[in-house]
Structures are given as C-alpha cells and as structure tokens.
Amino acid sequence: AGLGQAAGPSSSAWIDSDLLDEKIEACICGVCLGVMKEPTSGCKEGHCLCRLCYGLALANKKECPTCRQPASEQTLVRSRPLEDVIEGLRLRCEFFGKEAGGGQA
C-alpha cells in the first residue's frame, strides 16, 4: 500500500509503516496496523491508537481495544509526545528497491 491508500486512514499525512527505515512498534496502530495518525489514548493504561481508529472502536464497544478497560469519547487524550516521535521518523521513498523505468509515466 502506498501513502494514503486504503490500508490505513485516508489522509495525505498518513505514513505507510512498510516505508519506515526502522519500525518503531509503539508508533503502529493496533487497529489499522499503520503508523498512527493523531495518536490518542483513552484508557488508564495509556494504550494509543489513531484518533479515528479509537473512535471507530468505541462506536462498537466502550472499552480500550487493547486491554478492554472502560473508555469513552470523553476519556480520549491526544498523545503529543508520541506525535512528535512519529513526525521525526525517517522514511524511505515509496519506490525504494523498485527497478527504474518499470512504472507508468
């Protein structure tokens, strides 16, 4: 999947985890499996997911998808420190390792 494609949240700022030079597990959303977009926590344990993924999970069940502790829209908190880490991740070009001239112009 390329940047912003259906494998994760639809946004030009979404980062495809396959393009990371180094995978940082704490930056991967447990729902969409992409690098988190607007990392958000909603349980006492501090588990983070993409804001959109957390909201969708809460629409089905009012609990953290990771630990099953109670959570709600009112308990969601944006994780700015994790957001800063994600913004600093080094990425490869989407076409890294692909043969030149094999694509469409």
Side-chain angles (χ1 to χ4, degrees):
L3 293 176
Q5 291 182 352
S10 179
S11 167
S12 59
W14 184 76
I15 302 169
D16 185 338
S17 62
D18 292 336
L19 302 178
L20 293 174
D21 277 342
E22 300 174 10
K23 277 204 177 186
I24 300 175
E25 201 62 39
C27 298
I28 305 298
C29 174
V31 173
C32 69
L33 303 179
V35 176
M36 284 184 241
K37 169 130 177 35
E38 195 177 331
T40 302
S41 176
C43 70
K44 293 179 183 180
E45 296 295 321
H47 295 119
C48 287
L49 301 169
C50 297
R51 171 66 182 91
L52 177 62
C53 292
Y54 222 129
L56 291 172
L58 290 175
N60 292 322
K61 223 172 198 185
K62 301 296 182 203
E63 61 185 26
C64 171
T66 305
C67 67
R68 307 290 182 225
Q69 287 192 14
S72 69
E73 286 284 335
Q74 291 74 31
T75 63
L76 295 182
V77 177
R78 190 171 177 177
S79 177
R80 291 196 186 268
L82 186 53
E83 213 170 296
D84 291 343
V85 169
I86 291 168
E87 286 179 18
L89 293 176
R90 294 178 45 126
L91 301 176
R92 294 191 307 257
C93 170
E94 179 177 359
F95 303 105
F96 177 81
K98 295 183 181 177
E99 202 170 306
Q104 296 177 345

